[in-house]
Amino acid sequence: MTTTTTLAELPSLKGQELGTSDWIEVTQERVNLFADATGDHQWIHIDVERAKAESPFGGPIAHGYLTLSLLVPLVSQTYTISDAKMGVNYGLNKVRFPAPVPVGSKVRARVTLKDVEEVAGGLQNTFAVTIEREGGDKPVCIAEWVTRVYG
C-alpha cells in the first residue's frame, strides 16, 4: 500500500497509516559494507563463524544503525508527495531496537503520519515507523522520524 498526496492534502492524513513497504533482505554483504562505512567491525556483525559459535543470536546480526538507515529506502516506498521539490531529514525523536535482525532476514516498514506542522516554505512531518522482520514476533526498530518537505 502506498499513499499519493500533495503538500496541501498531507495535513488531512495526520493519524493515518500511509503504507507498508516491500520486504528488503539484510545480507551479510550489506552488513559488511555498513561496518566498513561506519568503522563498527564488532564480531557479532561481521565474523560469521564466531557469531554462530558464541553469539546468543545464533549467528551474525545487523547493526542497529544499519536497521535505522533502512528508514530511507523503506519509508520512501510508502508515500509520495506529488508536488514536493525536495525533502530533508530533520532528525529523530525516539528510536528503539526491540529485537535483533539476523543476517538473511527480510524487513519492511509500516508508516503512520503522526504529526504535520507548517514551516517556512513547507511542512515538518513526524512519522511513526515500525520496522518488522518477516516471521518475527516483535518489531526490530520503532522510530519517530522527523522530515521537512518543501514545494
Side-chain angles (χ1 to χ4, degrees), residues 46-64:
I46 62 166
D47 188 334
V48 175
E49 293 311 312
R50 184 175 177 191
K52 285 180 181 177
E54 299 178 31
S55 167
F57 308 111
I61 60 169
H63 306 73

Side-chain angles (χ1 to χ4, degrees), residues 63-121:
H63 306 73
Y65 283 125
L66 167 54
T67 304
L68 183 63
S69 75
L70 294 175
L71 283 180
V72 175
L74 293 172
V75 172
S76 69
Q77 294 178 19
T78 65
Y79 75 98
T80 301
I81 302 172
S82 59
D83 57 347
K85 290 195 167 102
M86 65 172 248
V88 295
N89 177 7
Y90 199 67
L92 296 147
N93 291 337
K94 180 181 178 182
V95 178
R96 297 289 181 270
F97 303 105
V101 177
V103 169
S105 297
K106 291 183 180 178
V107 296
R108 70 177 177 188
R110 194 172 297 281
V111 181
T112 299
L113 181 61
K114 185 173 181 180
D115 196 18
V116 179
E117 300 172 46
E118 287 190 25
V119 294

Side-chain angles (χ1 to χ4, degrees), residues 9-74:
E9 295 169 342
L10 189 64
S12 71
L13 299 176
K14 183 177 170 181
Q16 293 185 34
E17 185 171 307
L18 299 180
T20 302
S21 73
D22 293 333
W23 295 101
I24 290 179
E25 183 177 358
V26 179
T27 64
Q28 188 64 56
E29 179 184 20
R30 185 184 294 259
V31 170
N32 292 346
L33 288 169
F34 190 84
D36 289 342
T38 62
D40 182 352
H41 292 95
Q42 188 176 174
W43 64 268
I44 63 171
H45 305 303
I46 62 166
D47 188 334
V48 175
E49 293 311 312
R50 184 175 177 191
K52 285 180 181 177
E54 299 178 31
S55 167
F57 308 111
I61 60 169
H63 306 73
Y65 283 125
L66 167 54
T67 304
L68 183 63
S69 75
L70 294 175
L71 283 180
V72 175
L74 293 172

